[in-house]
Amino acid sequence: MIAVAIDGPAGAGKSTIARALAKRLGYIYVDTGALYRAVGYFAIKNGADTTSESDILRLLPKIDVALRFVNGEQRVFLNGEDVSDYIRTPEMSMAASNVSALPAVRDFLFSLQQNLAKSNHVVMDGRDIGTVVLPDAQVKIFLTAAAEDRAGRRQHELQRKGLDADYNEVLKDVVQRDYNDSHRAIAPLKQADDAILVDTTGNTKQQSIDQLISVVEDAL
Ligand code: C5P
């Protein structure tokens, strides 16, 4: 099986670009952030503190998370319910970032991610795919862009969904999440030694897609 691992900070356009790349290659696109978001969603729904290890440990046995692919589109199921449309708010982003710092949560989601790559050609995006989940991936990309660019893209994405999004708030969230994700003790966000750095600052979406496709096709 062939795996393309794409890691990088929040709002670097990973999902849009990775999805286009997967389509081009005929692989499935796996958005691993959705798994952490589903755990964060369950925690919030159950009134838990997403930074409290004891709260989350108590809830984990009650969680069943699965990914299903419908016409090539990933959907996330939490205890049998499709929660894909509820996990994209800024509140869920921060909840995901909080729970993802807990080793028990990372262990809980680890084999699900590895198993997908055992039985499918995948483009998988996240924070630790090239470093921890798929260290033997054929191609590893570290996708980044300036924080201001990333915040601008996130703001547009939220506005398109009809959600209220103040630029400064979004920028603050993006910077905070980058800090959390790159400073946690376990599986922190960092570029794998053998990853190719792709910086999309100043690019249009199409330019970023073209840039990534060309880098990955050269590397495969
Ligand atoms: O990619 P996305 O923004 O949906 O991820 C939400 C959060 O989930 C990230 O901020 C990060 O804390 C966590 N995450 C992670 N490891 C991954 C994917 C996401 O820790 N492989």
Side-chain angles (χ1 to χ4, degrees), residues 19-34:
R19 185 179 286 116
L21 174 69
K23 200 164 178 190
R24 163 92 171 210
L25 297 172
Y27 298 0
I28 60 166
Y29 163 55
V30 184
D31 161 17
T32 62

Side-chain angles (χ1 to χ4, degrees), residues 3-9 12 14 17-18 21 25 123-131 134 137-144 189-200 208 211-220:
V4 178
I6 303 187
D7 292 301
K14 287 192 303 292
I17 300 173
L21 174 69
L25 297 172
V123 173
M124 190 176 283
D125 92 27
R127 303 292 187 287
D128 62 338
I129 308 305
T131 48
L134 305 176
Q138 280 77 357
V139 184
K140 297 182 188 176
I141 303 288
F142 193 81
L143 192 72
T144 190
L189 168 67
K190 68 168 194 257
Q191 184 177 346
D193 293 339
D194 50 352
I196 305 166
L197 179 68
V198 176
D199 188 328
T200 65
S208 299
Q211 185 182 359
L212 191 74
I213 287 178
S214 119
V215 168
V216 171
E217 288 189 338
D218 282 353
L220 271 174

Side-chain angles (χ1 to χ4, degrees), residues 148-220:
E148 291 73 16
D149 267 46
R150 294 188 280 117
R153 291 176 198 162
R154 261 288 142 96
Q155 183 192 24
H156 284 132
E157 191 186 318
L158 291 168
Q159 285 172 340
R160 265 202 315 276
K161 289 180 186 155
L163 296 164
D164 201 19
D166 171 68
Y167 173 78
N168 289 317
E169 280 295 310
V170 177
L171 179 61
K172 209 174 89 201
D173 268 20
V174 161
V175 170
Q176 179 68 51
R177 217 142 56 88
D178 289 352
Y179 185 87
N180 292 353
D181 291 349
S182 33
H183 287 81
R184 65 181 177 223
I186 179 162
L189 168 67
K190 68 168 194 257
Q191 184 177 346
D193 293 339
D194 50 352
I196 305 166
L197 179 68
V198 176
D199 188 328
T200 65
T201 304
N203 280 0
T204 62
K205 187 161 89 182
Q206 195 54 48
Q207 284 168 334
S208 299
I209 292 173
D210 293 345
Q211 185 182 359
L212 191 74
I213 287 178
S214 119
V215 168
V216 171
E217 288 189 338
D218 282 353
L220 271 174

Side-chain angles (χ1 to χ4, degrees), residues 31-213:
D31 161 17
T32 62
L35 299 169
Y36 294 91
R37 287 170 182 271
V39 174
Y41 174 82
F42 188 80
I44 287 188
K45 275 278 206 187
N46 285 277
D49 170 359
T50 55
T51 61
S52 155
E53 185 156 24
S54 59
D55 272 18
I56 305 301
L57 282 180
R58 186 171 49 76
L59 291 179
L60 270 186
K62 299 184 184 153
I63 301 181
D64 174 50
V65 189
L67 295 181
R68 289 187 203 139
F69 297 86
V70 183
N71 300 326
E73 273 297 302
Q74 170 183 301
R75 307 296 295 179
V76 198
F77 287 79
L78 176 65
N79 297 335
E81 185 198 354
D82 184 345
V83 295
S84 315
D85 297 334
Y86 310 137
I87 57 173
R88 294 283 149 208
T89 63
E91 185 190 16
M92 295 308 152
S93 302
M94 207 49 85
S97 183
N98 289 340
V99 298
S100 76
L102 303 172
V105 172
R106 306 204 72 85
D107 283 353
F108 177 71
L109 298 173
F110 183 75
S111 32
L112 193 163
Q113 299 170 77
Q114 275 208 334
N115 287 340
L116 279 167
K118 275 187 194 140
S119 40
N120 303 275
H121 295 316
V122 293
V123 173
M124 190 176 283
D125 92 27
R127 303 292 187 287
D128 62 338
I129 308 305
T131 48
V132 177
V133 178
L134 305 176
D136 298 326
Q138 280 77 357
V139 184
K140 297 182 188 176
I141 303 288
F142 193 81
L143 192 72
T144 190
E148 291 73 16
D149 267 46
R150 294 188 280 117
R153 291 176 198 162
R154 261 288 142 96
Q155 183 192 24
H156 284 132
E157 191 186 318
L158 291 168
Q159 285 172 340
R160 265 202 315 276
K161 289 180 186 155
L163 296 164
D164 201 19
D166 171 68
Y167 173 78
N168 289 317
E169 280 295 310
V170 177
L171 179 61
K172 209 174 89 201
D173 268 20
V174 161
V175 170
Q176 179 68 51
R177 217 142 56 88
D178 289 352
Y179 185 87
N180 292 353
D181 291 349
S182 33
H183 287 81
R184 65 181 177 223
I186 179 162
L189 168 67
K190 68 168 194 257
Q191 184 177 346
D193 293 339
D194 50 352
I196 305 166
L197 179 68
V198 176
D199 188 328
T200 65
T201 304
N203 280 0
T204 62
K205 187 161 89 182
Q206 195 54 48
Q207 284 168 334
S208 299
I209 292 173
D210 293 345
Q211 185 182 359
L212 191 74
I213 287 178

